[in-house]
Amino acid sequence: MEKIIRIIYDKSIKHSLLNLTDIMNILALVISNKQLDNYISNIEVQKKRCKTTASYSEYNKKIIIYKEAVMSMIQNLCNNLRIINNLEKTLYINLSIFQVILHEIEHANQLKKIMTVNDLETFIIRISRLVNFNNSYLYEYAPHERFAEIISYTEIKNMLYYIIDELNELPSIINTEILQRLLRGYHFSNDMIQYPINTYFQIGEKAKLLEVFEWYSQNNKTAFLQVAKQYNYQDRLLYGFPISTDEYFCSMKKLIFSLNSYFSNRINIKL
């Protein structure tokens, strides 16, 4: 990934945004690194108006970038990002463009994992595919979408270590992005923390599948007490498992403080 961050950094130091040629070069490097030649056929840019910035088709293995949505994202970042350092501001915007692509690449990688990997993340993705994903309300809670967001931002965080001496605020901003994605799908309701994996299968009318988890209980408090014995807080956030009220509010307080520090008007764009 060092070559990729160098491409993005060299572009940013000239205060230029990534163009299609840069994106294609970066895409080729990521596909090679992740050995995804059989899962990504090509990338296409479409101008049509769309709320999402990009998509990946399992059918034709194509990544589509929606130009107008990406331009809207860039404009919002330019208007609302509170970074004095021009290099870091441009670098953050370029990394945001890269993250849009990396998110879709991770969907291709998830398809590969389903065929080749046996771990908890992949198991959750497998059973989540049994839910009819046509309900747009499910997007916030969907495990494959949460994983794609968390993993793509975590990979960007790891890439920053190659240029860490050149940065001041950017690593903290990326940590904020990761925390926001980890908390995605958690909500405080009826004096309890509703957790994403439960909400996803309940709304998706596949609640019976939750019983494959030995910690699961219809009682949220019991479920939390049991899952906390097996998984630490960070792992529970990653997988969308139960967290406590104290854990939730502590993390939300940190997130809100960070967002207010770095953004004048945070605008969320679905990816």
Side-chain angles (χ1 to χ4, degrees), residues 73 77 92 95-97 99-100 102-103 147-160 173-181 266 271:
M73 177 191 75
L77 291 175
Y92 174 76
L95 286 172
S96 297
I97 297 170
Q99 190 273 333
V100 167
L102 204 54
H103 173 109
F147 285 138
E149 281 288 281
I150 295 165
I151 290 171
S152 58
Y153 272 109
T154 300
E155 289 184 351
I156 288 173
K157 175 185 176 179
N158 294 336
M159 290 168 60
L160 292 182
I173 296 175
I174 297 302
N175 281 332
T176 299
E177 298 284 11
I178 293 171
L179 179 58
Q180 185 175 25
R181 272 62 184 188
R266 180 65 173 187
L271 303 175

Side-chain angles (χ1 to χ4, degrees), residues 91-131:
L91 183 56
Y92 174 76
I93 293 171
N94 277 330
L95 286 172
S96 297
I97 297 170
F98 175 52
Q99 190 273 333
V100 167
I101 302 163
L102 204 54
H103 173 109
E104 302 307 329
I105 291 173
E106 183 55 30
H107 283 318
N109 198 37
Q110 288 171 351
L111 191 59
K112 177 183 176 182
K113 288 177 182 177
I114 288 172
M115 308 295 183
T116 60
V117 177
N118 286 305
D119 59 14
L120 182 55
E121 174 198 327
T122 309
F123 174 74
I124 291 172
I125 292 172
R126 283 195 187 104
I127 63 172
S128 71
R129 290 165 69 90
L130 299 174
V131 170

Side-chain angles (χ1 to χ4, degrees), residues 71-221:
M71 294 305 295
S72 177
M73 177 191 75
I74 291 170
Q75 189 60 52
N76 287 330
L77 291 175
C78 289
N79 293 339
N80 298 302
L81 189 60
R82 289 175 171 167
I83 299 181
I84 297 176
N85 185 303
N86 286 331
L87 168 60
E88 289 195 86
K89 185 170 185 176
T90 306
L91 183 56
Y92 174 76
I93 293 171
N94 277 330
L95 286 172
S96 297
I97 297 170
F98 175 52
Q99 190 273 333
V100 167
I101 302 163
L102 204 54
H103 173 109
E104 302 307 329
I105 291 173
E106 183 55 30
H107 283 318
N109 198 37
Q110 288 171 351
L111 191 59
K112 177 183 176 182
K113 288 177 182 177
I114 288 172
M115 308 295 183
T116 60
V117 177
N118 286 305
D119 59 14
L120 182 55
E121 174 198 327
T122 309
F123 174 74
I124 291 172
I125 292 172
R126 283 195 187 104
I127 63 172
S128 71
R129 290 165 69 90
L130 299 174
V131 170
N132 184 347
F133 192 58
N134 290 333
N135 186 344
S136 61
Y137 185 70
L138 285 172
Y139 187 94
E140 179 184 1
Y141 310 98
H144 63 289
E145 295 295 346
R146 291 185 77 254
F147 285 138
E149 281 288 281
I150 295 165
I151 290 171
S152 58
Y153 272 109
T154 300
E155 289 184 351
I156 288 173
K157 175 185 176 179
N158 294 336
M159 290 168 60
L160 292 182
Y161 287 116
Y162 293 109
I163 55 170
I164 196 68
D165 293 339
E166 312 295 325
L167 307 175
N168 293 310
E169 297 178 285
L170 193 53
S172 295
I173 296 175
I174 297 302
N175 281 332
T176 299
E177 298 284 11
I178 293 171
L179 179 58
Q180 185 175 25
R181 272 62 184 188
L182 287 167
L183 287 170
R184 171 174 162 168
Y186 287 95
H187 298 288
F188 180 71
S189 177
N190 299 322
D191 296 322
M192 294 184 298
I193 305 302
Q194 306 298 329
Y195 55 101
I197 198 166
N198 181 62
T199 306
Y200 179 78
F201 285 107
Q202 295 287 351
I203 295 176
E205 300 180 346
K206 296 288 184 180
K208 193 73 176 175
L209 291 172
L210 289 164
E211 295 178 9
V212 301
F213 301 106
E214 57 185 18
W215 52 262
Y216 177 71
S217 170
Q218 293 184 21
N219 182 293
N220 278 16
K221 183 177 181 180

